[in-house]
Amino acid sequence: MESIKRIELTPAEVQFCMAIATQRHATKKPSQQFNRNQTRFASDFAGVIGELAFQKVYGGEINQQILPYGDGHKPDIVLPDGRKVEVKTSTFTGKDVTIKFRKNELDFEWCSLVQVIGSPDVVNVFPIWHKREIKFTKEDYGNGERWVFSPG
């Protein structure tokens, strides 16, 4: 199994993430906040940081489309070999980090986790998993069912 890789983003890369997150956030309709400790914009920003850090480790192309109401259910990254990857980003800095998926996010065969450990420029990039390798539990945190995986 591949190991977790620690990545540091440059100030220019963080600025790129801020620009993409700002554009994505501006096009979304207001929605309920997923995390009571973080604004919706902070979640968007962390997500773009995760996608860029993942790209630095594994290559591929980030979906930079700016669409109203989210990403149009496109993969976060398409790898050079054609694999479509859902990249989940967590700002939880503890050891027991989990990945939480909405049902439609499980449509992609491949997934990974990026954990922001030194906000916003230091992250851990986890390996790529095929969803058949993952044992999910189903949880409801008050904002709909989620399929949860703990990489342990």
Side-chain angles (χ1 to χ4, degrees):
M1 178 189 227
E2 292 182 57
S3 63
I4 298 168
K5 304 209 176 12
R6 184 176 187 262
I7 298 295
E8 292 185 23
L9 300 178
T10 67
E13 290 168 331
V14 172
Q15 185 176 19
F16 167 81
C17 293
M18 180 68 76
I20 295 293
T22 300
Q23 292 173 47
R24 286 182 181 176
H25 184 76
T27 63
K28 291 182 180 176
K29 68 179 181 178
S31 64
Q32 82 183 64
Q33 199 167 319
F34 295 128
N35 180 339
R36 67 178 169 264
N37 298 319
Q38 189 173 67
T39 66
R40 184 68 190 185
F41 174 75
S43 295
D44 290 339
F45 183 44
V48 180
I49 286 171
E51 292 168 18
L52 182 63
F54 178 91
Q55 181 190 44
K56 285 183 72 164
V57 171
Y58 295 107
E61 186 175 326
I62 294 174
N63 177 6
Q64 293 185 43
Q65 282 187 299
I66 308 299
L67 300 169
Y69 314 115
D71 63 9
H73 194 52
K74 302 221 184 323
D76 294 321
I77 302 274
V78 178
L79 294 174
D81 64 8
R83 286 182 290 169
K84 297 173 181 173
V85 182
E86 178 69 27
V87 177
K88 302 301 289 182
T89 304
S90 175
T91 55
F92 177 72
T93 57
K95 293 196 181 293
D96 297 326
V97 65
T98 59
I99 312 175
K100 298 175 181 101
F101 295 89
R102 292 182 201 92
K103 185 172 176 58
N104 66 347
E105 292 171 330
L106 293 174
D107 290 347
F108 301 109
E109 295 289 316
W110 303 93
C111 63
S112 184
L113 169 66
V114 176
Q115 180 185 29
V116 179
I117 57 173
S119 193
D121 58 343
V122 181
V123 301
N124 287 329
V125 179
F126 283 68
I128 302 170
W129 296 285
H130 192 280
K131 69 180 182 183
R132 286 190 305 247
E133 301 171 328
I134 298 173
K135 183 175 184 203
F136 291 103
T137 59
K138 201 183 286 190
E139 304 285 341
D140 191 329
Y141 300 97
N143 56 356
E145 283 188 326
R146 300 291 188 261
W147 283 256
V148 180
F149 166 57
S150 179

